[in-house]
Amino acid sequence: MLKVTLPNSSVLEVEPGTTMLEVVKKIGPGLAKSAIAAIYNGKELDLSRTLSQDGDLRVLTHQNPESLEIVRHSTAHLMAMAVTELFPGTLLTIGPVIENGFYYDFDSPHKFSPDDFPAIEEKMKEIAKKDYPVERSEMPRAEAIAYFKDPAHREPYKVEMMEEWTDDTVSFYKQGPFSDLCRGPHVPGTGKLQHFKLLSVAGAYWRGDEKRPMLQRIYATAFLTKDDLEKHLFQLEEAKKRDHRKVGKELDYFHIEEGSPGMVFWHPRGWRLYSNLMSYISAKLSRRGYQEVRTPEVVDKSLYVKSGHVANYSDLMFFTQSENREFVIKPMNCPCHVEIFKQGIKSFRDLPIRLAEFGKCHRNELAGVMHGLMRVRGFTQDDAHIFCTVEQIADEVADFCRLLQEVYADFGFSDIIVKLADRPEKRVGSDEVWTKAEAALKEACERARLGYIMNPGEGAFYGPKLEFTLKDSLGRHWQCGTIQVDFNTADRLGAEYVASDGSKHPPVMLHRAVFGSLERFIAILIENFGGDLPLWMNPQQVRILPVSEKFVDAAQELNRKILDAGLISEVDVRNDKIGFKIREGEREKVPYLVILGDKEIQSGKISLRKRKTGDLGAFSLDEALEKFKLEISSKGA
RNA sequence: GCCAACGUAGCUCAGCUGGUAGAGCACCUGAUUUGUAAUCAGGCGGUCGUGGGUUCAAAUCCUAUCGUUGGCUCCA
């Protein structure tokens, strides 16, 4: 007899060969009914699996978070079954669980579109209703390969995967007439799959390789309860309302026009936000020993030939020519900063030299990658290059990490993903120096108490890097801050410093940016705040609403006083009712509205209204200004 | 660049299977002089992304192209 220990420490004795489900039935028929899978000795297993040794058993129901992944994976199979029934000739590939849902990649003669979703969902419900048992079976790998090579059940993608595996046997999951190669585990029957929704179709290369066939991917999601599903769908809708492209248009921040894709036209308000961010960073940098510079945007091509960028990136660069000379539109600032470094002779005593620039760069990005302000062709980096010695790397990186944390905290970002990308296969520089640089990055993260994950082999060819990723409203990841160690560029462009023994060496360069690009960072800001930017960075701060035309003059006078105090203020002079002006002010997300009418003129006070909060009551002008200044200096929202 | 969908007034969108373009908001004019999320009335406004084709007739069908969206690949 086998001993099965339950979470409450009670022990059940069962015959070897008993299935999980039978054990669960012994615990209770209700539990057996709601069971989705089991965890036996720490391993997630199907309820149909048999027991062969003693162990700890935990039953998963729709109340356990671990069940979600199983249900999603089973729903992926359900979707694949529905799709193959509705669209014969569709070949199966893979259908993994991802954050918030799952997808399945198909190779099908049918072109899927969202119009197909209702039919597929209907079919899925139909199959679920039949409550097919989901049965696991094993087969020798060679036999499975032969089976799927047979024209009668041809699945070339499955064959390809199996041919690369080394296991002797492979497992299958069968539900009704449908079976798929899979490791499992799965729900015991399709009846458990009820709360799902197909979301979108997209092309995706087989194995993520652009040289392989383009498959059709259907994204979908599934939840354990109807409530959870509805909540998620509602959140998706809400997130779309925060989209920076939508909010940016509504708030009149910027536009991008068809004629120059990926190039931003900043409107007065958007540009004010942009300048606010630059001033903010400038102040931080000057306190940390950076020196701001400015370099050309049109540069002789030879500089970028020497740096190696033309050889590697000419497809993605803009070129121009004039008077028989070829120029590049600057795609990155580093070579220009090296040119500044090279002026005069630099001693080791001068290092580190930190050159910063709000450098406008242009890259001719592939048409399909543009995305609002997140990915553009013309952008400005809050760039800086630190020229230093190998020994100085760790200190400089640690200082940068502190700066970045300070800045991200000011903007209220706590959900930051830090990745350390280490040596790629193709690289320059000795392994010894790489090891030093990677260790310096790790040390800096530890000193700054930054938890990081490894991104193996993803460093630049010239050195390892840290990447700081933020999320947009839909949870998509965007790299913002970065610091990259570079052993190559200075040497390549002939930059040197004189060491203490009189010998000359190329300095190490650290490429670093806190925002990444102003454009992307603004997009993230807009989405994270849903357009309700904190007062300190908001391009609109105060709007005065005269109750009627009679009070416009008084409003103008008040406006001048508020402007004199250094705030951004304006008057809504339109001949409309106060309710309408308030509505407009709220809609345009103005942080503070000032209502000015007879009552205020009489009392000598002003009425304040805070966005999304409502009427705050009467304040003297001085009190109001004090309140604004306090909110600005505390960087409150 | 690749796959799919989409592109109608300044904005948001309607326009079924081809019959010659419509609403709300915005804007302009007039009336109203307004008290914490929409005052009323009138008016202006579009060669339906662009080029080509089919047809007696195209916003609608076909085709090419540009752009956008969702992904994939890429991101010095």
Side-chain angles (χ1 to χ4, degrees), chain A residues 22 54 146 180 264 270 280 431-432 570 606 621 634:
Chain A
E22 287 168 60
D54 295 348
D180 196 359
V264 185
Y280 166 85
D431 282 356
E432 185 197 342
E570 62 193 2
I606 60 176
L621 178 58
S634 71

Side-chain angles (χ1 to χ4, degrees), chain A residues 423-453:
Chain A
R423 63 191 81 184
E425 281 189 25
K426 268 189 170 176
R427 60 179 183 266
V428 298
S430 70
D431 282 356
E432 185 197 342
V433 181
W434 272 89
T435 303
K436 233 179 212 179
E438 286 160 3
L441 292 183
K442 284 178 191 169
E443 188 197 323
C445 284
E446 275 148 29
R447 274 206 252 163
R449 293 210 189 88
L450 270 176
Y452 62 90
I453 53 172

Side-chain angles (χ1 to χ4, degrees), chain A residues 22 47 104 154 157 183 197 222 284 311 314 428 444 561 627:
Chain A
E22 287 168 60
L47 294 172
Y104 206 110
R154 193 177 74 92
Y157 297 97
R183 288 210 164 84
K197 174 103 185 133
K284 293 263 180 208
S314 63
V428 298
K561 287 180 184 159
K627 179 176 169 54

Side-chain angles (χ1 to χ4, degrees), chain A residues 183-227:
Chain A
R183 288 210 164 84
H186 281 286
V187 297
T190 56
K192 300 271 182 216
L193 309 172
Q194 294 175 343
H195 314 294
F196 49 79
K197 174 103 185 133
L198 272 53
L199 296 174
S200 62
V201 278
Y205 298 107
W206 168 235
R207 304 222 139 164
D209 183 344
E210 61 179 330
K211 293 182 188 71
R212 307 297 302 272
M214 174 67 74
L215 306 170
Q216 298 185 72
R217 174 172 298 178
I218 300 183
Y219 282 94
T221 192
F223 284 87
L224 298 169
T225 68
K226 189 169 180 231
D227 263 12

